[in-house]
Amino acid sequence: MENLLEKIKETTNYIKNQVENFEPDYGVILGSGLGGFTGEMKIKFELPYTLIPNFPVSTVKGHGGKLIFGFLGDKKVVAMSGRFHFYEGYTMQQVAFPIRVMKFIGIKKLFISNASGGLNPAQQIGDLMIIKDHISLLPTNPLLGKNDDELGARFPDMSEPYDKSLIERGLAIAAQNKIRCAKGVYVGVTGPCFESPAEYKYMHIIGGDAVGMSTVPEVIVARHMLLPVFAIAVITDLGVTDNPVKITHEEVIAAANAAESKMSLIIKELILGDKL
Ligand code: HPA
């Protein structure tokens, strides 16, 4: 993306005007079938992506496509209802652009949700997994190209991609609410096909517990800007099994919808109890 910084600033100015300088402290990315989180919010402003300069437009069923600003309790939040995926044909920079903009709008922490394929035989469909680390199997990286020091370092540290204190608090909230939730390693792939049985097995052998087609580019860009990240996956299908079964997008969405209230509860409690 040419003149990335200029574009970020142009988009940020547009949004700030539209939302009358409402300054959110928390950003939330709502993954497949997880849009109901915004039902917990007192919504102040909604901006469809189609109206936002420089924003890509989502093409996938089940992805809403708007920025939602409002209060969660007394916390100011911006939620992305609908995100962008590399498999849709966007560049990595486009996929990650909204994260840049949310940081410039003022968010201090980023919360990400996604739907993932399970790689760990201990998992059941509908389990949640708090992401503690990731392995990128993506063919490229959103930070390739000229680095702008105003955004972050040329060679960003990745020793703590996911904030340790948020992970521990997230696990405690899950336990208090008797929600099945482990922590594990997320493998990021392009998709759009789901994995073959041998690929799921391989990803488990290299250390993965879940695989999905989002999140990694968003986390890389967030960490480039030193934004703390919390990410949680709902396991919508099981890849490592002796009896591979067909997986459809509809089943993934249905499983994500079924787990939605558990996921929303964890993110909501984390934000409500957070201290900046
Ligand atoms: N693989 C990749 N991405 C996914 C999967 C999967 O099995 N399930 C949901 N998103």
Side-chain angles (χ1 to χ4, degrees):
M1 206 181 258
E2 266 181 62
N3 299 322
L4 177 60
L5 195 56
E6 265 173 45
K7 286 198 167 126
I8 297 167
K9 287 181 177 169
E10 184 192 0
T11 305
T12 305
N13 285 338
Y14 170 85
I15 294 172
K16 281 189 170 170
N17 269 323
Q18 295 296 312
V19 303
E20 298 163 12
N21 291 318
F22 180 89
E23 234 186 62
D25 290 312
Y26 299 92
V28 184
I29 305 177
L30 304 169
S32 309
L34 294 162
F37 173 81
T38 54
E40 309 278 345
M41 287 170 61
K42 186 160 169 278
I43 296 173
K44 302 291 282 181
F45 302 95
E46 296 192 55
L47 296 184
Y49 295 160
T50 46
L51 298 182
I52 303 176
N54 306 317
F55 249 54
V57 176
S58 183
T59 61
V60 187
K61 267 193 285 177
H63 294 260
K66 55 188 173 185
L67 279 185
I68 302 175
F69 292 80
F71 285 94
L72 187 70
D74 61 348
K75 309 285 189 192
K76 288 181 173 175
V77 174
V78 55
M80 282 182 69
S81 172
R83 58 141 67 92
F84 304 100
H85 304 87
F86 191 58
Y87 64 74
E88 294 176 85
Y90 303 114
T91 63
M92 280 290 182
Q93 286 83 357
Q94 285 178 307
V95 167
F97 185 74
I99 319 307
R100 299 281 195 202
V101 170
M102 287 197 287
K103 163 80 181 176
F104 273 64
I105 289 171
I107 68 163
K108 316 284 187 300
K109 292 187 183 178
L110 178 66
F111 293 78
I112 302 179
S113 63
N114 69 49
S116 295
L119 300 172
N120 187 321
Q123 289 159 336
Q124 298 173 9
I125 288 178
D127 280 1
L128 301 185
M129 187 190 95
I130 292 175
I131 302 177
K132 65 172 184 183
D133 201 348
H134 68 228
I135 297 171
S136 176
L137 295 184
L138 297 165
T140 178
N141 184 302
L143 305 182
L144 286 183
K146 188 172 166 292
N147 186 61
D148 199 320
D149 294 338
E150 206 177 311
L151 294 173
R154 169 75 289 186
F155 300 106
D157 169 62
M158 275 288 156
S159 60
E160 192 180 334
Y162 302 87
D163 187 84
K164 285 202 175 108
S165 70
L166 289 173
I167 293 172
E168 291 316 312
R169 284 182 46 223
L171 287 170
I173 292 166
Q176 279 154 20
N177 290 280
K178 303 198 166 42
I179 294 170
R180 274 180 63 95
C181 180
K183 59 180 172 180
V185 174
Y186 176 86
V187 181
V189 295
T190 64
C193 43
F194 295 113
E195 287 66 35
S196 70
E199 287 169 339
Y200 283 119
K201 188 172 166 194
Y202 157 74
M203 289 172 191
H204 181 53
I205 289 170
I206 64 171
D209 298 294
V211 53
M213 306 173 197
S214 66
T215 303
V216 166
E218 299 156 347
V219 173
I220 290 174
V221 160
R223 295 304 299 145
H224 184 230
M225 301 182 294
L226 303 178
L227 205 52
V229 175
F230 175 83
I232 183 164
V234 51
I235 304 299
T236 56
D237 49 274
L238 302 174
V240 178
T241 155
D242 293 334
N243 297 305
V245 291
K246 281 206 167 72
I247 302 168
T248 65
H249 183 57
E250 286 68 28
E251 283 166 334
V252 167
I253 297 288
N257 280 336
E260 133 124 70
S261 57
K262 295 186 287 184
M263 184 102 107
S264 285
L265 184 143
I266 292 177
I267 294 180
K268 179 179 148 191
E269 295 296 324
L270 272 176
I271 293 177
L272 286 178
D274 194 61
K275 291 193 182 52
L276 289 172

